[in-house]
Amino acid sequence: MSCHEVKNSWRIPDLLAKKSEGGIFSEEEIAFIVRSVCDRVIDDCQLGALLMSIKLRGMTDGETVYLTKAMRDSGKVMSWPADWPVVDKHSTGGVGDKVSLALAPALAARGVRVPMISGRGLAHTGGTLDKLESIPGFRASMSEREIYECMSSVGCCIVGQTADIVPADRRMYAARDVTSTVPSMPLILSSILSKKAAESPKALVLDVKFGRGAFMKTREEAEKLAQKMVDVGNGVGMRTTALLTAMDVPIGKTIGNALEVREALDCLRGQGPPDLHQLVINLGGELLYSTGLVETPTDGIREIHEALVGGDARATFCRMLQKQGVPTAVAESLCGPTPDYQMLPSAKYVTPVPAHSTGLLVDVDSLKLAMLSLALGAGRKKIGDPVNHAVGIVLLKVVGERVREGEAWAELHHDTPLPDGSLQEVQLSARIQNTFNFHPVPLIAAKLV
């Protein structure tokens, strides 16, 4: 039922009392509540009370599945030809995470369709759309017809949420933000997965991160979230798997929008950082396996690797850019054999960060670097803040490499004078020591199905 077919089968105060007393909603009650949210039958005070009751009393797994379905059905649900293997990926957010830019075209180059609905960055995590909008002409807003045409001719697109997809989530999320109910597991799950379910994918892979630069700080927290997401994703009809991945150090060597686009293009040439390449091929391999296009995840990993190193993914990305508004000359210059990165924004100043000692770089604090990048203007502290696409941080050395005292191990790209103490802060984010007992943490910690 749509948001405009509200039937007054229940009284809102009675439903609020039920949840505040620890009751369990039926599927029909949840559908009524979500329709009432859309049509504002529930006023702001009642919505705040409902969200707080859910945060304090929780929801059963069944309730969370019902809530996700009802939110999905509150707006437009995409439909595709039956023979299209439609898939998507979701990351819980990280530092330097430009995986989607390489993953979507690599998957499309191997015959699956990827209607990726992405978001913009907030706080210390960068947004996929912010990165892509550093490319001149890129248009994240597309109509349903344009999305279908891009999916049909290219195989993938990366777009923002349209006004008619999961409208219930917009009002509920805004209310969560002002009622301190953002960190509620059922509300987190339903918000994320309802938007993915509205894409009607046959398979979904989750990249659930843990560590300093992630929202989930420990593996145990991430595993709990991942298992819940897998269960709800499967409950709403998407074949869902999850990879637990470490987020103590940045992904790749860049933090910042245009800088990360450059690195994603390197990955699309098979020349990107090993950790970025590993994430892309493992996530892609899972999706190829989930759709039955390969017999094992290992076969899928090999297929995605070949799409990257062989140029098929890069050619697909070039076509996607053009479909999404990038002039042909710009797209071809960026995606050609010898890329012209002058097409992308660049900062006025580049300040090297010298190493404070000689030895092995054994740790880099991704959260400290992300917060500095935010201070430089690469991100936003609140929704609606402008973003400087040119600024950010480049790592010249990564964990496991040797560095000499005074040698630059990183660069700060900035358009204005550096904030006081920022150079010292980024120096302290690196741990350099002489050691023969260094053992890097595995990037991919576990797989959940």
Side-chain angles (χ1 to χ4, degrees):
M1 298 180 72
S2 74
C3 284
H4 305 288
E5 296 174 341
V6 177
K7 297 179 180 178
N8 294 313
S9 305
W10 296 273
R11 293 180 65 250
I12 298 300
D14 294 339
L15 293 173
L16 296 179
K18 181 176 182 176
K19 179 50 68 176
S20 68
E21 294 167 3
I24 298 174
F25 287 140
S26 68
E27 183 171 9
E28 293 76 15
E29 286 172 329
I30 288 177
F32 171 77
I33 288 169
V34 171
R35 293 196 303 270
S36 298
V37 168
C38 287
D39 283 353
R40 294 187 176 272
V41 173
I42 293 179
D43 65 27
D44 290 343
C45 292
Q46 290 172 323
L47 180 56
L50 173 68
L51 296 173
M52 186 58 69
S53 293
I54 291 173
K55 178 184 177 183
L56 296 177
R57 292 294 191 173
M59 279 184 150
T60 66
D61 291 346
E63 284 180 295
T64 306
V65 170
Y66 298 151
L67 179 59
T68 305
K69 287 181 176 179
M71 290 174 65
R72 174 198 66 190
D73 296 340
S74 70
K76 176 69 178 179
V77 178
M78 297 178 177
S79 61
W80 316 106
D83 61 342
W84 280 13
V86 179
V87 304
D88 200 6
K89 159 259 183 188
H90 175 76
S91 168
T92 57
V95 181
D97 188 353
K98 69 282 294 180
V99 167
S100 294
L101 278 65
L103 178 61
L107 285 164
R110 285 299 178 260
V112 295
R113 314 286 175 130
V114 191
M116 190 174 285
I117 296 177
S118 296
R120 291 178 169 80
L122 191 61
H124 74 276
T125 58
T128 295
L129 297 184
D130 296 317
K131 304 179 206 302
L132 286 168
E133 286 176 340
S134 68
I135 301 174
F138 185 86
R139 184 165 54 91
S141 177
M142 297 179 74
S143 68
E144 182 182 349
R145 179 183 58 81
E146 290 173 322
I147 290 173
Y148 187 93
E149 289 178 355
C150 195
M151 287 277 285
S152 180
S153 60
V154 178
C156 65
C157 60
I158 304 177
V159 299
Q161 182 180 353
T162 63
D164 55 356
I165 290 179
V166 195
D169 184 60
R170 283 193 297 279
R171 187 177 177 212
M172 290 177 69
Y173 194 90
R176 287 167 60 199
D177 192 42
V178 297
T179 57
S180 298
T181 54
V182 170
S184 163
M185 186 72 78
L187 298 176
I188 290 171
L189 297 177
S190 58
S191 176
I192 292 171
L193 294 173
S194 61
K195 292 189 282 288
K196 292 301 178 184
E199 300 172 4
S200 300
K202 295 179 179 178
L204 174 69
V205 66
L206 305 167
D207 181 3
V208 181
K209 300 186 180 299
F210 64 95
R212 282 180 309 228
F215 290 111
M216 297 295 171
K217 301 305 179 185
T218 68
R219 174 171 169 169
E220 291 73 23
E221 290 175 325
E223 188 167 353
K224 180 180 177 181
L225 173 62
Q227 192 61 66
K228 289 284 188 182
M229 294 181 78
V230 167
D231 292 343
V232 174
N234 285 318
V236 298
M238 302 178 288
R239 181 172 180 179
T240 306
T241 58
L243 298 183
L244 299 183
T245 64
M247 191 66 254
D248 280 327
V249 302
I251 300 171
K253 298 183 177 182
T254 59
I255 305 169
N257 300 295
L259 296 172
E260 292 189 44
V261 169
R262 291 174 55 172
E263 193 164 67
L265 286 164
D266 289 342
C267 182
L268 285 164
R269 291 183 175 81
Q271 301 170 1
D275 58 343
L276 174 60
H277 183 86
Q278 183 184 5
L279 268 179
V280 172
I281 63 175
N282 276 273
L283 292 166
E286 283 296 324
L287 286 172
L288 291 184
Y289 173 65
S290 293
T291 55
L293 294 179
V294 294
E295 293 186 359
T296 68
T298 301
D299 293 335
I301 288 171
R302 183 169 55 251
E303 287 290 326
I304 298 298
H305 170 78
E306 291 175 357
L308 293 172
V309 299
D312 293 341
R314 178 163 46 96
T316 302
F317 187 67
C318 186
R319 294 196 301 273
M320 187 195 83
L321 292 182
Q322 293 173 74
K323 279 289 186 180
Q324 294 194 236
V326 177
T328 299
V330 173
E332 291 181 347
S333 293
L334 290 173
C335 299
T338 305
D340 182 4
Y341 290 145
Q342 292 184 354
M343 294 285 181
L344 299 173
S346 59
K348 293 179 182 178
Y349 310 107
V350 177
T351 299
V353 181
H356 50 73
S357 62
T358 295
L360 196 69
L361 184 61
V362 297
D363 191 24
V364 176
D365 191 326
S366 59
L367 183 57
K368 285 186 178 180
L369 294 185
M371 296 309 294
L372 176 58
S373 182
L374 175 64
L376 295 177
R380 51 177 65 85
K381 297 179 181 178
K382 64 179 185 299
I383 295 173
D385 282 352
V387 165
N388 186 333
H389 292 105
V391 301
I393 302 171
V394 174
L395 303 181
L396 304 177
K397 298 285 185 177
V398 296
V399 170
E401 293 184 341
R402 289 203 163 272
V403 63
R404 298 187 306 276
E405 182 178 359
E407 180 184 7
W409 68 272
E411 294 175 341
L412 305 183
H413 292 237
H414 52 108
D415 277 346
T416 57
L418 293 174
D420 290 341
S422 59
L423 189 58
Q424 182 181 9
E425 182 72 13
V426 73
Q427 284 175 320
L428 293 175
S429 70
R431 185 155 57 93
I432 301 169
Q433 64 186 46
N434 286 310
T435 178
F436 296 99
N437 298 316
F438 169 67
H439 300 287
V441 176
L443 177 62
I444 299 174
K447 171 183 172 181
L448 298 177
V449 294

